[in-house]
Amino acid sequence: MSERAWPAGAATGIGSMPGTDVAEAAAIVFGELPEFPHLPELPARGVGADLLGRSAGLLVDLAVEVVPSGYRVAAHPGSDHRRAVDLLRWDLDAVEEVAAGAKVIKTQLAGPWTLAAGIELPRGHRVLTDRGAVREFTESMLEGLATHVAELKARTGAEVVVQFDEPTLPDVLAGSLSTPSGYGMVSAVEEPEARDLLAGVLERAAKITGQPVVVHCCAPRPPVGLLRSAGAGALALDATLLDGSPAKLLDELGEAWDSGVHLFLGLVPALAPARPPTLRELATPALRLTDRLGFNRSILAERAVPTPTCGFAGARADWLRRALALARDLGKAFVEPPEGW
């Protein structure tokens, strides 16, 4: 794998953004985060624009449709599936318009366990309940990802970094997902099995891009040890939720950072706070984490990327640019700390 494509001090976004105008969203991302822009996601556009829908749009030889309970495997691509494909194509068109000179761009999709937990088989059970179907979906997703990365690279001329979103992974591991009846729970997936599938996915994605692969999980207690051992090159976490973390999680974070894993730290609130935050206030969770783990703060310049926290799709338009600009300023401050830090 090559060196990471993003420079020290770069900031990026998690993915989702408010609004329905992808041309405007792309212009804002590339304007405010020029060193590490990302493909914007606009879930407010509805079916096919949310995490599961746009990820399903990448599937090869598999299709989904919308039913009252969510996304379900379809026998043939219908209007729901075509809409997801079209939305992603329009996103690529918008990014191509503003990407001149970009050296790197990040794209996001659902990780294999979140995808398998969120899509139903024809009879209503989650894909997660059929290990053969999980493997089939994972293989299809990776095939589609290779095509997507190649197109994104061709359109922008930039290196591509892949981020897998795994918000549902903690529930998969805990066995806390409901069955179709709502009265039972889907059996938990054991950690070795979860790790093995992820390891294969991350290895393939790294070969496709030649870049470290990011895994994003904004749960208060993300499975850091599992993700690191699966081969994640970077972990995207909500740093504002890490205060009071148990010793085990802190140990796992320390081991990951020490081994060279990069941390994408959610530090800028997704929704506008009651009063404008100072840069020092926003940086405090990162500074405190670094100190607690016993690292020199210079590691923030070397192996940290500031981002907004999850939920950015609900941000007001006037906060959108400001939040991304604050993330950018945090990245610069990591490299050249202001006096008093």
Side-chain angles (χ1 to χ4, degrees), residues 257 290-291 294-300 302:
W257 227 356
T290 305
D291 294 345
F295 290 104
N296 188 298
R297 288 182 176 181
S298 62
I299 198 172
L300 291 169
E302 300 161 11

Side-chain angles (χ1 to χ4, degrees), residues 130-161:
D130 182 331
R131 293 301 188 264
V134 171
R135 287 192 296 272
E136 186 180 359
F137 262 76
T138 300
E139 195 59 39
S140 173
M141 177 260 289
L142 285 167
E143 192 176 335
L145 177 64
T147 301
H148 173 61
V149 168
E151 183 174 5
L152 194 50
K153 207 167 185 174
R155 283 174 174 252
T156 64
E159 294 296 322
V160 178
V161 172

